[in-house]
Amino acid sequence: MQTLKPSAFGLSLAVLSAIVMLLLGILGNLGIYTGAVEMMQQWHMFFSPSMGGIVAGMIEAGIISFVFGYAFAFLYNKLM
């Protein structure tokens, strides 16, 4: 049976989440996916379409994704 490396799994999810948040911020500023931008503003404390808000949203999404990804991989290894 293969095990997951929790830190690698968490880091990969953190990078993916930060990239998605960056793309969403850029597209929101171009007028595309404005509904998704509004939802992200409601769901994330620090995200906004401004440059500082995009960076803060990327950091927030990265931290949250790392924590949940690490916990998932850790529990997966313990239960399997």
Side-chain angles (χ1 to χ4, degrees):
M1 176 183 352
Q2 185 144 356
T3 60
L4 294 174
K5 293 181 181 178
S7 59
F9 190 75
L11 185 61
S12 66
L13 285 179
V15 170
L16 181 65
S17 297
I19 290 171
V20 169
M21 195 66 75
L22 174 65
L23 290 175
L24 186 61
I26 292 171
L27 293 174
N29 280 327
L30 294 175
I32 306 169
Y33 296 124
T34 55
V37 171
E38 290 175 15
M39 285 188 276
M40 282 300 155
Q41 285 179 310
Q42 294 173 0
W43 295 342
H44 292 273
M45 288 168 63
F46 303 113
F47 180 77
S48 69
S50 68
M51 187 59 139
I54 293 171
V55 172
M58 289 171 62
I59 293 169
E60 179 187 8
I63 291 171
I64 292 169
S65 297
F66 178 81
V67 169
F68 281 109
Y70 188 95
F72 175 81
F74 181 79
L75 290 173
Y76 175 85
N77 288 336
K78 290 294 181 189
L79 296 175
M80 293 296 167

